[in-house]
Amino acid sequence: MTAPSTTQIALRRVALQDPGRLTRLSRKLGPTGIIAAAVLTVFVLAALLAPWLAPYDPDYPDLLAALSGPSAQHLLGADALGRDLLSRLMFGGRITLLGPTLVILIATVVGTVLALVAAWNRGRVDTVISWVLDVLFSVPGIVFALIAVAIFGPNLPTVVVGLSIGYIPYVARVVRGAALRERGMPYVQAAWLQGQSGVGISVKQILPNVQPIVVAQAVSSLGFAVIDLAAVSFLGLGVQPPTADLGLMVKSGFDSLLRGNATEAIVAGLAIVLIVWSITIVGDRLASNARSLR
């Protein structure tokens, strides 16, 4: 028998390692978490591959198929203008996932920075930052989005920035509490005695230790951001027609519902529910594991 090649040995090592990684991941998520992760993966892949997988142009009207039910030509039916619902669902998922992701990304970066600054400096700095966070926390994020739309007009970037402001305290307050605990740990005092700066210690020492909590809080908040963005779109203050968006599809489907066709509202509403459910379950599992690491 010939000796195995280097490539074969490497593949065997990967094959041996992957089951362990999958086992650890399955234990963290649990059966429900695995299902939720699979559902979320399907929506993400459908959104990313929409230009290649969608059967029709999402904005192409076919008045002959208007308000038609599921068929071989339109698997989920068509809306009031004859646009294919499956295609609009796939393209609409891109905005429904991208917008909230940007909201949470901005809020997480700004909130984490504020939390680290407050935890390290404490005193007056911590008091001022905490006061600002309390003020922001008292106002729902969707209100900031509505204010931004009133000032700058209805569009996706405006809504994203407005919602981001509202989500900053949700991240900052959790990270601040974790960073304060790390601030009093011996390794931080040792780094300070070695002459490292506060910024260096916060970034290189404290941040890596609170990172699981940051990620868990970000994922947990993502589901709420999806709901808020869909609500703003439903009000007609976010993404504007004819762009495909799940919130707009619910609004359009509601108008069709009054004419006896509930397909679009049900399809878009169910998609939002499944996305929020899957994100919430995965976020809850990550948060539980993050709490166990404290």
Side-chain angles (χ1 to χ4, degrees):
M1 297 179 63
T2 59
S5 64
T6 304
T7 302
Q8 291 174 329
I9 294 175
L11 290 175
R12 289 178 185 176
R13 289 178 179 175
V14 172
L16 291 174
Q17 292 174 357
D18 282 344
R21 294 176 182 175
L22 292 176
T23 301
R24 289 193 297 271
L25 179 61
S26 62
R27 288 176 180 175
K28 291 180 180 180
L29 294 178
T32 305
I34 293 175
I35 295 174
V39 171
L40 183 59
T41 301
V42 169
F43 276 103
V44 171
L45 290 178
L48 291 175
L49 302 177
W52 300 275
L53 296 181
Y56 298 94
D57 183 333
D59 299 328
Y60 178 75
D62 181 7
L63 297 180
L64 295 179
L67 296 178
S68 62
S71 63
Q73 289 74 27
H74 302 282
L75 296 180
L76 295 180
D79 65 6
L81 296 179
R83 297 173 297 190
D84 183 67
L85 289 181
L86 177 59
S87 300
R88 291 186 63 78
L89 190 70
M90 296 174 71
F91 277 91
R94 309 180 91 185
I95 296 177
T96 301
L97 291 171
L98 176 61
T101 300
L102 292 176
V103 169
I104 299 304
L105 181 61
I106 295 172
T108 299
V109 171
V110 177
T112 301
V113 171
L114 290 176
L116 292 176
V117 171
W120 180 260
N121 291 280
R122 294 185 291 191
R124 292 184 178 179
V125 175
D126 186 19
T127 301
V128 171
I129 292 178
S130 298
W131 180 81
V132 172
L133 294 177
D134 288 339
V135 172
L136 295 178
F137 192 78
S138 65
V139 182
I142 195 170
V143 174
F144 286 108
L146 296 178
I147 294 173
V149 168
I151 296 174
F152 300 104
N155 55 72
L156 183 61
T158 298
V159 174
V160 166
V161 173
L163 286 178
S164 299
I165 297 174
Y167 277 86
I168 288 175
Y170 290 91
V171 177
R173 294 179 70 174
V174 173
V175 177
R176 173 185 170 275
L180 279 173
R181 285 190 294 271
E182 296 297 325
R183 176 74 168 80
M185 298 297 288
Y187 75 89
V188 174
Q189 303 301 324
W192 178 253
L193 292 175
Q194 291 174 2
Q196 296 186 32
S197 65
V199 175
I201 295 175
S202 297
V203 174
K204 298 179 181 179
Q205 305 289 339
I206 297 178
L207 181 58
N209 287 305
V210 301
Q211 182 179 356
I213 298 174
V214 174
V215 174
Q217 181 63 29
V219 177
S220 299
S221 301
L222 184 59
F224 294 100
V226 172
I227 296 176
D228 285 344
L229 188 65
V232 174
S233 296
F234 180 84
L235 295 174
L237 301 176
V239 178
Q240 297 299 300
T243 304
D245 175 76
L246 297 187
L248 276 177
M249 289 180 66
V250 173
K251 181 179 184 300
S252 176
F254 181 77
D255 296 336
S256 300
L257 179 62
L258 300 178
R259 289 183 280 177
N261 190 302
T263 304
E264 184 176 8
I266 292 175
V267 168
L270 183 60
I272 293 174
V273 170
L274 288 175
I275 290 174
V276 173
W277 173 80
S278 60
I279 292 174
T280 302
I281 293 298
V282 173
D284 181 67
R285 297 298 186 272
L286 291 176
S288 298
N289 284 277
R291 284 193 295 267
S292 67
L293 296 175
R294 296 185 186 182

